[in-house]
């Protein structure tokens, strides 16, 4: 069963200020771009992570290749990558000092969740941060 009930999701969105967006896309039609722009409009600092876009500007922030390359530790690591790619991201999230790992809607990986939980991170899977934010705080 996917992790992260509404209370967990709400708490993460209430307490996070800096969000690493793994898989951030420069293409406005992509969900990661839309969600990142939405979260920025609602006061979060979103740090894009995408090795293919590293060094470029995305929505006013410089794209980092990986989580260890970020200019500051994120509170939340928000992931837009295939489920099978998430365990190494969970390890980097744990090492980055993040307090939460969020796998976007449609992404579930129990191994990644276990890695994050073992490091003390809150975990949400298969939920949309934009949808949850608008539902909790609109």
């Amino acid at each position: 069963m996917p992790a992260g009930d509404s209370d967990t999701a709400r708490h993460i969105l209430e307490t996070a200020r800096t969000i690493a967006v793994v898989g951030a896309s420069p293409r406005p039609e992509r969900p990661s771009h839309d969600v990142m722009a939405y979260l920025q409009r609602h006061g979060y600092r979103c740090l894009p992570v995408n090795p293919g876009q590293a060094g470029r500007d995305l929505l006013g922030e410089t794209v980092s290749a990986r989580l260890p390359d970020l200019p500051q530790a994120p509170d939340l690591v928000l992931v837009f990558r295939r489920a099978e790619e998430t365990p190494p991201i969970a390890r980097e999230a744990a090492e980055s000092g993040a307090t939460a790992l969020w796998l976007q809607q449609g992404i579930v990986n129990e191994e990644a969740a276990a890695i994050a939980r073992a490091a003390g991170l809150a975990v949400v899977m298969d939920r949309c941060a934009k949808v949850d934010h608008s539902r909790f705080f609109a």
Side-chain angles (χ1 to χ4, degrees), residues 15 41 49 56 98 100 132 136:
T15 58
R41 287 193 306 274
V49 178
R56 296 185 179 160
D132 277 353
F136 298 143

Side-chain angles (χ1 to χ4, degrees), residues 52-108:
Q53 298 293 318
R56 296 185 179 160
D57 180 82
L58 178 56
L59 297 171
E61 296 284 351
T62 301
V63 181
S64 297
R66 300 177 6 183
L67 290 172
D69 302 330
L70 291 172
Q72 73 181 80
D75 300 310
L76 168 61
V77 175
L78 177 60
V79 183
F80 290 86
R81 299 298 302 260
R82 289 189 302 254
E84 62 270 15
E85 297 174 13
T86 60
I89 296 167
R91 283 194 255 320
E92 285 187 358
E95 293 165 4
S96 76
T99 58
L101 176 71
W102 188 306
L103 306 184
Q104 259 306 108
Q105 190 169 7
I107 307 169
V108 176

